[in-house]
Short mmCIF file of all heavy atoms in Angstrom, two decimals:
data_model
loop_
_atom_site.label_atom_id
_atom_site.label_comp_id
_atom_site.label_asym_id
_atom_site.label_seq_id
_atom_site.Cartn_x
_atom_site.Cartn_y
_atom_site.Cartn_z
N GLY B 325 116.27 66.33 101.41
CA GLY B 325 116.03 66.18 100.01
C GLY B 325 114.74 66.87 99.57
O GLY B 325 114.78 67.52 98.49
N VAL B 326 113.68 66.70 100.28
CA VAL B 326 112.49 67.33 99.86
C VAL B 326 112.54 68.85 99.97
O VAL B 326 112.03 69.59 99.07
CB VAL B 326 111.25 66.85 100.79
CG1 VAL B 326 109.99 67.42 100.30
CG2 VAL B 326 111.18 65.29 100.69
N LEU B 327 113.18 69.31 101.04
CA LEU B 327 113.40 70.77 101.14
C LEU B 327 114.15 71.30 99.92
O LEU B 327 113.85 72.32 99.36
CB LEU B 327 114.20 71.01 102.53
CG LEU B 327 114.22 72.48 102.99
CD1 LEU B 327 112.90 72.88 103.45
CD2 LEU B 327 115.29 72.58 104.06
N MET B 328 115.19 70.62 99.61
CA MET B 328 115.98 70.98 98.36
C MET B 328 115.12 70.94 97.11
O MET B 328 115.21 71.84 96.30
CB MET B 328 117.16 69.97 98.15
CG MET B 328 118.27 70.08 99.19
SD MET B 328 119.25 71.55 98.79
CE MET B 328 119.66 71.15 97.06
N ALA B 329 114.31 69.91 96.95
CA ALA B 329 113.47 69.81 95.79
C ALA B 329 112.51 70.91 95.73
O ALA B 329 112.36 71.57 94.64
CB ALA B 329 112.79 68.43 95.78
N ASP B 330 111.93 71.27 96.87
CA ASP B 330 110.99 72.44 96.86
C ASP B 330 111.73 73.70 96.40
O ASP B 330 111.18 74.48 95.61
CB ASP B 330 110.44 72.65 98.27
CG ASP B 330 109.28 71.73 98.60
OD1 ASP B 330 108.87 70.97 97.72
OD2 ASP B 330 108.80 71.80 99.68
N LYS B 331 112.86 73.87 97.00
CA LYS B 331 113.64 75.10 96.75
C LYS B 331 113.97 75.12 95.23
O LYS B 331 113.79 76.19 94.53
CB LYS B 331 114.90 75.10 97.54
CG LYS B 331 115.75 76.38 97.38
CD LYS B 331 115.11 77.51 98.09
CE LYS B 331 115.91 78.80 97.93
NZ LYS B 331 115.25 79.90 98.59
N CYS B 332 114.46 74.04 94.72
CA CYS B 332 114.87 74.03 93.33
C CYS B 332 113.68 74.33 92.40
O CYS B 332 113.75 75.18 91.51
CB CYS B 332 115.39 72.60 92.90
SG CYS B 332 117.03 72.33 93.53
N GLU B 333 112.55 73.82 92.72
CA GLU B 333 111.41 73.96 91.83
C GLU B 333 110.87 75.41 91.95
O GLU B 333 110.42 76.00 91.02
CB GLU B 333 110.29 72.95 92.09
CG GLU B 333 110.77 71.55 91.62
CD GLU B 333 109.57 70.59 91.35
OE1 GLU B 333 108.61 70.68 92.08
OE2 GLU B 333 109.81 69.73 90.43
N SER B 334 110.95 75.94 93.17
CA SER B 334 110.47 77.35 93.40
C SER B 334 111.43 78.30 92.63
O SER B 334 111.01 79.46 92.36
CB SER B 334 110.37 77.62 94.82
OG SER B 334 111.67 77.98 95.34
N LEU B 335 112.62 77.86 92.33
CA LEU B 335 113.55 78.75 91.61
C LEU B 335 113.56 78.50 90.10
O LEU B 335 114.43 79.00 89.41
CB LEU B 335 114.97 78.55 92.14
CG LEU B 335 115.24 78.98 93.61
CD1 LEU B 335 116.47 78.44 94.10
CD2 LEU B 335 115.17 80.53 93.70
N GLY B 336 112.61 77.69 89.64
CA GLY B 336 112.47 77.47 88.19
C GLY B 336 113.29 76.28 87.69
O GLY B 336 113.34 76.02 86.50
N LEU B 337 113.96 75.55 88.56
CA LEU B 337 114.62 74.29 88.08
C LEU B 337 113.58 73.20 88.09
O LEU B 337 112.56 73.36 88.74
CB LEU B 337 115.75 73.99 89.08
CG LEU B 337 116.94 74.97 89.16
CD1 LEU B 337 117.80 74.74 90.31
CD2 LEU B 337 117.68 75.00 87.92
N ARG B 338 113.89 72.09 87.49
CA ARG B 338 112.95 70.94 87.63
C ARG B 338 113.66 69.80 88.31
O ARG B 338 114.88 69.59 88.13
CB ARG B 338 112.52 70.57 86.16
CG ARG B 338 111.48 71.54 85.59
CD ARG B 338 111.11 71.16 84.19
NE ARG B 338 112.36 71.33 83.35
CZ ARG B 338 112.51 70.68 82.13
NH1 ARG B 338 111.65 69.82 81.76
NH2 ARG B 338 113.55 70.90 81.43
N VAL B 339 112.84 69.03 88.99
CA VAL B 339 113.35 67.84 89.70
C VAL B 339 112.53 66.65 89.23
O VAL B 339 111.63 66.20 89.85
CB VAL B 339 113.23 67.96 91.32
CG1 VAL B 339 113.94 66.82 92.00
CG2 VAL B 339 113.90 69.36 91.74
N PRO B 340 112.88 66.14 88.03
CA PRO B 340 112.05 65.19 87.38
C PRO B 340 112.20 63.79 88.01
O PRO B 340 113.16 63.50 88.62
CB PRO B 340 112.60 65.15 85.93
CG PRO B 340 113.99 65.51 86.04
CD PRO B 340 114.13 66.48 87.18
N GLU B 341 111.15 62.96 87.90
CA GLU B 341 111.19 61.61 88.24
C GLU B 341 112.36 60.96 87.53
O GLU B 341 112.64 61.20 86.39
CB GLU B 341 109.84 61.02 87.87
CG GLU B 341 109.61 59.63 88.43
CD GLU B 341 108.72 59.69 89.66
OE1 GLU B 341 108.36 60.82 90.12
OE2 GLU B 341 108.47 58.63 90.23
N ILE B 342 113.04 60.08 88.33
CA ILE B 342 114.09 59.35 87.69
C ILE B 342 113.47 58.02 87.19
O ILE B 342 112.78 57.34 88.00
CB ILE B 342 115.31 59.08 88.64
CG1 ILE B 342 115.98 60.36 88.81
CG2 ILE B 342 116.29 58.06 88.01
CD1 ILE B 342 117.03 60.31 89.93
N THR B 343 113.74 57.59 86.02
CA THR B 343 113.03 56.50 85.44
C THR B 343 113.97 55.48 84.78
O THR B 343 115.16 55.68 84.72
CB THR B 343 112.05 56.90 84.43
OG1 THR B 343 112.67 57.73 83.37
CG2 THR B 343 110.88 57.74 84.96
N GLY B 344 113.43 54.45 84.18
CA GLY B 344 114.14 53.49 83.34
C GLY B 344 115.30 52.82 83.99
O GLY B 344 115.30 52.46 85.11
N ALA B 345 116.35 52.76 83.18
CA ALA B 345 117.62 51.99 83.62
C ALA B 345 118.19 52.60 84.87
O ALA B 345 118.65 51.95 85.77
CB ALA B 345 118.62 51.93 82.52
N THR B 346 118.17 53.96 84.97
CA THR B 346 118.78 54.61 86.13
C THR B 346 117.96 54.24 87.40
O THR B 346 118.63 53.96 88.39
CB THR B 346 118.75 56.21 85.94
OG1 THR B 346 119.25 56.43 84.64
CG2 THR B 346 119.58 56.83 86.94
N ARG B 347 116.70 54.22 87.26
CA ARG B 347 115.92 53.92 88.40
C ARG B 347 116.17 52.47 88.90
O ARG B 347 116.28 52.26 90.08
CB ARG B 347 114.41 54.07 88.02
CG ARG B 347 113.39 53.68 89.12
CD ARG B 347 113.31 54.70 90.16
NE ARG B 347 112.18 54.49 91.01
CZ ARG B 347 111.02 55.02 90.81
NH1 ARG B 347 110.84 55.86 89.80
NH2 ARG B 347 109.97 54.80 91.61
N GLU B 348 116.40 51.62 87.93
CA GLU B 348 116.67 50.21 88.29
C GLU B 348 118.01 50.17 88.96
O GLU B 348 118.15 49.45 90.02
CB GLU B 348 116.69 49.37 87.05
CG GLU B 348 115.28 48.77 86.71
CD GLU B 348 115.24 48.07 85.38
OE1 GLU B 348 116.16 47.30 85.11
OE2 GLU B 348 114.29 48.36 84.60
#
Side-chain angles (χ1 to χ4, degrees):
Chain B
V326 181
L327 194 69
M328 286 285 304
D330 278 358
K331 184 73 180 178
C332 284
E333 292 203 325
S334 78
L335 293 168
L337 299 168
R338 282 176 295 156
V339 185
E341 190 95 1
I342 291 173
T343 54
T346 312
R347 178 71 168 272
E348 272 171 46

